[in-house]
Amino acid sequence: MESFNERESRKKEVIAIIGAGISGLLACKYAITKGFDPIVFESESSIGGVWSKTIESTKLQTPKPLYQFSDFPWPDSVTEMFPDHQTVLEYIESYARHFDLLRHIHFNSKVLSLSYEDGEPSLSGDWNDAFSSKGKWNVNVQDTLTLSTQVYQVDFVIVCVGRFSQVPNIPEFPPKKGAEAFEGQVIHSMEYSNMDPETAANFVKGKHVAIVGFQKSGMDIAMECSTINAGTERPCTVVIRTPHWNLPDFFPWGLNLGYLYLTRFSELTVHKPGEGLALSLLATTLSPLRWALSKFVEIYIRRKHRLAKHGMVPDHSFLNEFSSCSLSIVPEGFYDRVEEGSIKLVKRAESVGFSKEGMMLKGQAEPLKSDLVILSTGFKGIDKLKHIFESKKYQDFIAGLDDSAAVPLYRECIHPRIPQLAIIGFSESITNLYTSEIRCRWLAELLDGKFKVPSIKVMEKDIAEWDKYKRRYSYNKYYRNSCIAALHVWHNDQLCKDMGWNPKRKKGFWDEWFQPYGPMDYRG
């Protein structure tokens, strides 16, 4: 229990946090360490974000050592390298209880909108301190049980809504060939994920199921469907628009992938934002090594999954995949089921529409006959983020006028032209818990006045440099993921320097340059 003096010493500024997933819990925990008393608004009745409602067979996508809190390691009882979703959720819940975060959370509280009182600030000048006496944020919150609303006025807002929920990405279908033309059912994978295991099993049982999409949720649903409808009489059909370098595991040819892409040395092969002439020349010189590393992993995946046999070799490189944060681990036995016929792959479908009997694919005269179509086509994360703002100007700042740009965030945390607000957990990495934690620590130091961000002009120049990097290495349409995976150490170095920490976190030359970096390197 807090003492009276401890409560009295808490800072007077009010911080609102939107979302009680991984990033929201971390933001809450580190705000508390600086003496704040944050309010967390969570639209659901429980914590955990995407882990609270997911497909039954889903497992962790990164090795357990890379997905853990720096001050709350996995318990010894969890021995799997890739724990199942229930184990991950229990770990997250244990973290929240250990640091007494639940008392800060308002459950069943959906934030409808944010508005900045006293008008919008000048578009010139500096972001200055995290707190300003000139403005407050009004947080319009709805109780999802009673539907009543309440407006909270706060000094700072931390938006932790993530990008993988609430607003499904529904493809555009040709005129008169939308879902309404189909006699069967069409749902998004989000709806399937929200079902309990028994309901989900009954929903697909005995049906010809087609899945559109070939990333994690699509593969997991296909595996569940093929298990429930065992055999080849009712195969689950996966319609694939873009083949991906989906991993069989994290250890190509027995070597931990971290040694290839998560070390300080590996990042020397990649051109970096603000790198200077020497590092630029070094990255150019090491380009053959960069190519070789990518081919090393590609050959492993090709052979392990027999991609050529299945016509599933991607056109882009593994580095493009990694730099887009679009990697997934293929469920065990997936391609065995493809070969036995309980899962069928329809490759490189350029466009999808519907007829009465099923899906119409470009270049095919006959429809793909189905009873149920599940769209595993991702989410419109940027739309969800921008529409939380009442101000059209702020919406445009977030999404761009043509809805084609990545969200422009300095240090992947704050928008230079939106005051007293941070966005955590939107920009991606290969392991989002690890990334969100150091960003939340950076933000806590900023809120505590330990450092100041530079001018708007300097921040926007830095954002433009990162934008150039993302466009250079990300695969095509996945550019908007704002992925920093291939420059994880470089990104963290910048945050460390801002906070006054030594960015070199390991002991000895060899470890510093050739050992993978992970969350435990940033303890204390």
Side-chain angles (χ1 to χ4, degrees), residues 28 72 147 165 181 196 231 233 287 356 409 425 440 444 459:
C28 179
F72 191 76
L147 301 184
S165 63
D196 62 74
E233 184 180 345
S287 59
K356 183 178 178 180
L409 301 177
C440 286
M459 285 194 283

Side-chain angles (χ1 to χ4, degrees), residues 180-242:
E180 69 282 354
F182 179 44
E183 284 192 342
Q185 288 179 280
V186 180
I187 67 168
H188 190 268
S189 58
M190 177 180 71
E191 298 170 75
Y192 184 90
S193 299
N194 288 341
M195 299 178 187
D196 62 74
E198 183 178 356
T199 302
N202 290 332
F203 186 64
V204 302
K205 188 173 183 179
K207 295 178 181 176
H208 290 281
V209 181
I211 298 167
V212 180
F214 191 59
Q215 292 195 283
K216 185 56 184 172
S217 61
M219 289 187 288
D220 283 345
I221 295 172
M223 287 293 285
E224 290 192 1
C225 175
S226 67
T227 298
I228 295 163
N229 295 325
T232 60
E233 184 180 345
R234 292 183 180 85
C236 181
T237 302
V238 184
V239 178
I240 301 162
R241 293 175 293 180
T242 304

